[in-house]
């Protein structure tokens, strides 16, 4: 992989992936294609070796721009998306455009140029599990998305699979669990609570707080994606996860403890409509077939480092805080 396009490379996971590639794969050139929506930040790419990273400010729905970039690249790793469930409930329309129409635009370019295409998706396409269910999601789990966000991600997965089966586009897909780490937008659960505490606001917990998410450090997501890009079987889906199931209230109490606050120093707020109860990933296919394993499996340590990153980088998030909280206040969350 000498030359790759990374869509959404100025967002949370995409930018961490770009840094990971530049640090670990010295022969690879990266072209970032990103529209810099509210979730994208050019600063996320500061420190990248500019001789090996080109930034293109543009939209994945722009057919001519996408065509030109695909004409020159060996592969595309497609992270760009509208990614936040709560936003998708308030206004689904940009999710349809970017997640569905945008993925279609990229697939058509991959078809024309025969470009290797890796699609980044989410465990949320499989719906949710009961808290007491011993099962975890596998590649065979039925699609059962609950939210406008996850249904558009499911739609994009189906497009990618169809472009493989019908046109033979050389694709792979991965569906990953909840990521945490530096540079995650402060609308998301962990950074929202950290930056609330740093702003003198009380953290906010939805519903009964018992919903479970399966946390993975963003650098483990990056290493898994690279492994699939290099060695994955074409047409195949791989689930990515690191056995990190935790209830939201447990995660919040860990944040409160590390930040020196009391265990009950938070507010219970209105639940998310359609709120998925539990996600849990069985990643044995990826581990068995491709030999991948996660490195950052100490969640408490990863959480401490993440909290420290938000303390050290207040200028990165401060200007977004008021507007983000105003959006939540409008839905009593
Ligand atoms: P993010 O919201 O932080 O970043 C998305 C990026 O895409 C931003 O830089 C934004 O500017 C860009 N973008 C949005 N619309 C665009 C468009 N039309 N054209 C070009 N660029 C556009 O998202 P994230 O959390 O980093 O998620 C990245 C990918 O990973 C998404 O596909 C998401 O579904 C998937 N995913 C996320 C998680 C998670 O825990 N965050 C878990 C599994 C899968
Ligand atoms: O303030 C909050 N309080 C709260 O209790 C927020 C923002 C969230 N929550 C809950 C909702 C979820 O159960 O925390 C959990 C995590 O919420 P999010 O960070 O919004 O993540 P989630 O909805 O689980 O989706 C994430 O993981 C899968 C990503 O945002 C998706 O892009 C990814 O596909």
């Amino acid at each position: 992989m000498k030359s790759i396009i990374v869509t959404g490379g100025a967002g949370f996971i995409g930018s961490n992936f770009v840094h990971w590639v530049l640090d670990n794969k010295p022969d690879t050139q990266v072209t970032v294609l990103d529209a810099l929506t509210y979730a994208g930040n050019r600063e996320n790419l500061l420190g990248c070796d500019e001789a090996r990273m080109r930034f293109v400010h543009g939209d994945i729905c722009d057919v001519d721009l996408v065509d030109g970039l695909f004409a020159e690249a060996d592969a595309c790793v497609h992270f760009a998306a509208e990614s936040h469930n709560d936003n998708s409930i308030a206004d689904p329309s940009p999710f349809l455009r970017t997640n569905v129409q945008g993925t279609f635009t990229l697939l058509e370019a991959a078809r024309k140029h025969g470009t290797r295409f890796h699609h980044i998706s989410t465990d949320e396409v499989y719906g949710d599990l009961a808290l007491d269910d011993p099962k975890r999601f596998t590649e065979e789990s039925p699609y059962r998305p609950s939210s406008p966000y996850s249904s558009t991600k499911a739609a994009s997965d189906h497009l990618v699979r169809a472009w493989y089966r019908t046109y033979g586009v050389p694709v792979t897909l991965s569906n990953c669990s909840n990521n945490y780490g530096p540079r995650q937008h402060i609308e998301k659960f962990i950074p929202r609570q950290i930056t609330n505490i740093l702003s003198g606001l009380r953290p906010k917990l939805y519903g009964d707080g018992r919903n479970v998410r399966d946390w993975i450090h963003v650098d483990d997501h990056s290493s898994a994606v690279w492994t699939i890009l290099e060695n994955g079987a074409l047409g195949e889906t791989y689930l990515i996860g690191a056995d990190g199931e935790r209830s939201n209230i447990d995660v919040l109490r860990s944040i409160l403890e590390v930040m020196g606050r009391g265990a009950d120093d938070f507010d219970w707020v209105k639940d998310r409509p359609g709120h998925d109860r539990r996600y849990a990933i069985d990643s044995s296919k990826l581990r068995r077939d491709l030999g991948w394993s996660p490195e950052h499996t100490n969640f408490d340590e990863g959480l401490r480092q993440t909290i420290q990153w938000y303390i050290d980088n207040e200028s990165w998030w401060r200007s977004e805080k008021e507007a983000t909280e105003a959006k939540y206040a409008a839905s009593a969350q």
Side-chain angles (χ1 to χ4, degrees):
M1 297 295 163
K2 291 272 179 262
S3 163
I4 64 172
I5 300 164
V6 178
T7 71
F12 163 48
I13 306 175
S15 67
N16 279 288
F17 179 75
V18 171
H19 284 282
W20 188 94
V21 171
L22 295 174
D23 289 346
N24 291 284
K25 302 290 156 188
D27 297 332
T28 301
Q29 296 278 336
V30 176
T31 298
V32 170
L33 173 59
D34 198 296
L36 297 179
T37 68
Y38 81 95
N41 188 341
R42 184 68 178 80
E43 273 184 44
N44 289 344
L45 297 166
L46 286 180
C48 287
D49 175 359
E50 298 281 337
R52 291 172 51 215
M53 195 275 301
R54 172 169 64 134
F55 181 77
V56 177
H57 184 193
D59 194 317
I60 58 167
C61 298
D62 181 334
V63 175
D64 293 335
L65 174 64
V66 165
D67 184 71
L69 296 178
F70 273 64
E72 301 165 354
D74 300 322
C76 172
V77 184
H78 173 34
F79 290 92
E82 287 291 336
S83 69
H84 192 42
N85 273 299
D86 293 317
N87 293 343
S88 82
I89 294 166
D91 179 12
S93 151
F95 290 73
L96 271 294
R97 181 177 181 280
T98 288
N99 300 359
V100 183
Q101 185 73 27
T103 302
F104 162 72
T105 306
L106 299 171
L107 283 169
E108 283 292 82
R111 173 156 85 103
K112 180 170 165 193
H113 297 286
T115 315
R116 176 81 173 80
F117 189 83
H118 181 73
H119 181 60
I120 302 292
S121 192
T122 167
D123 56 2
E124 297 193 19
V125 300
Y126 302 117
D128 62 355
L129 299 160
L131 293 182
D132 59 358
D133 190 337
K135 284 204 293 292
R136 299 189 290 170
F137 297 133
T138 72
E139 289 77 6
E140 313 311 321
S141 297
Y143 273 65
R144 213 167 52 84
S146 318
S147 74
Y149 162 68
S150 56
S151 59
T152 59
K153 291 298 292 186
S156 66
D157 290 12
H158 292 316
L159 293 178
V160 175
R161 290 166 178 218
W163 261 241
Y164 170 73
R165 167 110 185 222
T166 303
Y167 303 117
V169 176
V171 308
T172 43
L173 303 90
S174 55
N175 296 73
C176 189
S177 61
N178 285 61
N179 285 222
Y180 76 98
R183 297 188 281 269
Q184 184 167 33
H185 195 279
I186 56 169
E187 68 193 352
K188 303 294 198 304
F189 179 60
I190 289 178
R192 183 183 185 204
Q193 314 314 336
I194 297 169
T195 56
N196 271 3
I197 295 170
L198 293 175
S199 306
L201 304 169
R202 284 164 71 84
K204 311 287 181 214
L205 194 59
Y206 295 173
D208 65 6
R210 293 176 64 221
N211 303 62
V212 168
R213 296 295 182 265
D214 189 351
W215 294 98
I216 182 171
H217 192 277
V218 65
D219 287 341
D220 284 330
H221 190 179
S222 293
S223 69
V225 167
W226 188 269
T227 301
I228 299 165
L229 187 66
E230 272 198 333
N231 302 316
L234 296 183
E236 290 292 311
T237 293
Y238 297 88
L239 263 52
I240 305 174
D243 301 333
E245 278 187 73
R246 289 210 171 196
S247 69
N248 292 341
I249 188 156
D250 281 354
V251 173
L252 178 53
R253 290 221 156 109
S254 296
I255 295 171
L256 288 165
E257 194 186 333
V258 174
M259 298 186 75
R261 299 301 191 280
D264 294 318
D265 283 351
F266 66 87
D267 294 331
W268 299 98
V269 294
K270 205 173 78 146
D271 207 357
R272 173 185 283 171
H275 195 177
D276 281 339
R277 200 57 168 154
R278 171 175 159 249
Y279 305 138
I281 288 268
D282 176 350
S283 59
S284 31
K285 175 178 174 183
L286 175 61
R287 293 169 191 242
R288 186 189 58 237
D289 291 3
L290 304 185
W292 173 84
S293 59
E295 277 177 30
H296 306 272
T297 47
N298 184 339
F299 180 78
D300 291 324
E301 180 51 30
L303 188 62
R304 265 193 296 277
Q305 287 169 2
T306 304
I307 291 169
Q308 193 58 47
W309 189 87
Y310 285 91
I311 293 172
D312 293 342
N313 291 277
E314 183 167 339
S315 62
W316 181 88
W317 57 266
R318 174 57 68 195
S319 61
E320 295 289 313
K321 188 63 184 168
E322 206 177 318
T324 304
E325 288 308 311
K327 258 201 278 189
Y328 278 122
S331 54
Q333 289 179 317

